[in-house]
Amino acid sequence: MAYQLATDAPEMTRLATQASALAPDAAILFDRIGVGPGWSCLDLGCGLGEVTRLLAKRVGPAGRVCGLDLEPRFLRHAEAMAPPATSYLQADALRSGLPADSFDLVHGRLLTGAASSPEALLAEALRLARPGGHVALQESDPGFTACYPGHPAHMRLKALLGRGLNESGHGAFARRLFGIFRDAGLREVGFRPFVVGCQADEPMAHWLPDTVQSLRGTILRAGWTTAEALDATLAECRAHLADPGTTQILYVMVQVWGRKP
Ligand SMILES: C[S@@+](CC[C@H](N)C(=O)[O-])C[C@H]1O[C@@H](n2cnc3c(N)ncnc32)[C@H](O)[C@@H]1O
């Protein structure tokens, strides 16, 4: 399935802002798994390579890290900032073509929905991990998106986000991940959900309008609203989110990890 979000400069800024906000929790995940010096890691759907670089720092010069993504524009950006012992590959995460049993850790964040079948993604991740190696996926559940005080423009954008992400396959994958890992036979399966939220002056404050803006092509092609109505709603929502009195829950992020038998 095609990636439904844009791949333009604003989307790259959105991804980078989001990755910075999520970095402390990525560190917690890698601590729980025990990622350390000398590990070989694969970051599926690496985007701009933010997690790939976090992993490279952890594994150090004795380790190796590979970032894989379909989108050449993202990969060019990642490659320009690549630390030593890091490589990047343009490929489909569902059919990577990489040899089996190769990695101590296979990780993917916010890719499950984009890759359209979490079972197929996990099957490929499992194939690539070495026996006893680790697989970890992180996916967002946008069902919790809310702002306080509430606002009709925010509700309209939340509805468009839900439709847009469902169209691109995200659905309720975050809620199903733990069961999918267990059904696939992984051992020591871990589950860690956390809430991503912010105040008006924080970098993620415009996450909802920015994400809907990135889904603009999908939304307009589907005819769910007109360009004029979408622009007006985006502007109204941005004004509300910029009010210092507004707070938000953006989504619940779910981290699931386990070991290949
Ligand atoms: C929302 S971004 C997340 C990027 C990064 N993992 C992060 O958390 O910052 C999803 C990424 O998955 C990539 N992607 C989507 N479908 C893919 C597929 N089938 N194979 C490889 N990459 C894919 C997109 O190009 C995009 O870079």
Side-chain angles (χ1 to χ4, degrees):
M1 173 175 295
Y3 188 51
Q4 304 284 311
L5 292 154
T7 56
D8 54 9
E11 171 63 3
M12 288 168 73
T13 303
R14 190 190 74 87
L15 284 178
T17 303
Q18 177 169 254
S20 298
L22 298 178
D25 287 285
I28 293 172
L29 171 67
F30 298 143
D31 283 346
R32 293 265 175 106
I33 294 171
V35 183
W39 280 44
S40 62
C41 303
L42 174 65
D43 186 21
L44 295 171
C46 64
L48 306 178
E50 310 277 358
V51 175
T52 324
R53 287 192 288 283
L54 290 180
L55 286 168
K57 227 181 236 175
R58 276 186 179 248
V59 305
R64 70 184 169 98
V65 180
C66 176
L68 176 153
D69 203 283
L70 269 180
E71 177 49 46
R73 190 164 178 189
F74 293 169
L75 286 172
R76 277 199 297 278
H77 175 97
E79 266 161 351
M81 303 172 73
T86 309
S87 58
Y88 285 98
L89 177 69
Q90 187 186 356
D92 187 336
L94 298 178
R95 286 166 289 274
S96 69
L98 291 167
D101 303 334
S102 300
F103 295 94
D104 297 312
L105 170 68
V106 180
H107 165 268
R109 187 175 70 187
L110 297 169
L111 167 72
T112 321
S116 81
S117 161
E119 287 88 355
L121 177 64
L122 182 57
E124 177 65 358
L126 263 178
R127 188 185 74 77
L128 296 169
R130 67 164 171 79
H134 303 254
V135 174
L137 296 177
Q138 308 188 58
E139 193 52 58
S140 65
D141 184 340
F144 298 90
T145 305
C147 69
Y148 310 99
H151 193 282
H154 185 276
M155 287 171 68
R156 286 200 293 276
L157 291 192
K158 179 182 173 178
L160 286 171
L161 176 78
R163 286 182 88 171
L165 294 185
N166 277 331
E167 284 290 300
S168 64
H170 285 63
F173 289 158
R175 297 178 192 197
R176 291 176 46 215
L177 266 189
F178 183 75
I180 292 169
F181 270 56
R182 282 170 56 94
D183 291 349
L186 279 94
R187 300 215 175 116
E188 300 165 37
V189 180
F191 172 77
R192 178 176 178 268
F194 60 94
V195 173
V196 182
C198 63
Q199 293 179 234
D201 59 353
E202 292 185 79
M204 287 279 273
H206 290 273
W207 176 85
L208 177 63
D210 288 349
T211 307
V212 171
Q213 176 65 38
S214 201
L215 284 165
R216 185 186 183 85
T218 303
I219 290 167
L220 296 182
R221 271 193 303 279
W224 296 328
T225 186
T226 62
E228 297 70 28
L230 180 59
D231 288 341
T233 305
L234 284 166
E236 243 185 287
C237 187
R238 284 188 192 283
H240 179 62
L241 299 179
D243 185 316
T246 304
T247 56
Q248 298 180 68
I249 287 176
L250 304 175
Y251 47 81
V252 167
M253 190 80 174
V254 173
Q255 299 175 327
V256 179
W257 64 97
R259 295 186 82 140
K260 177 171 169 173

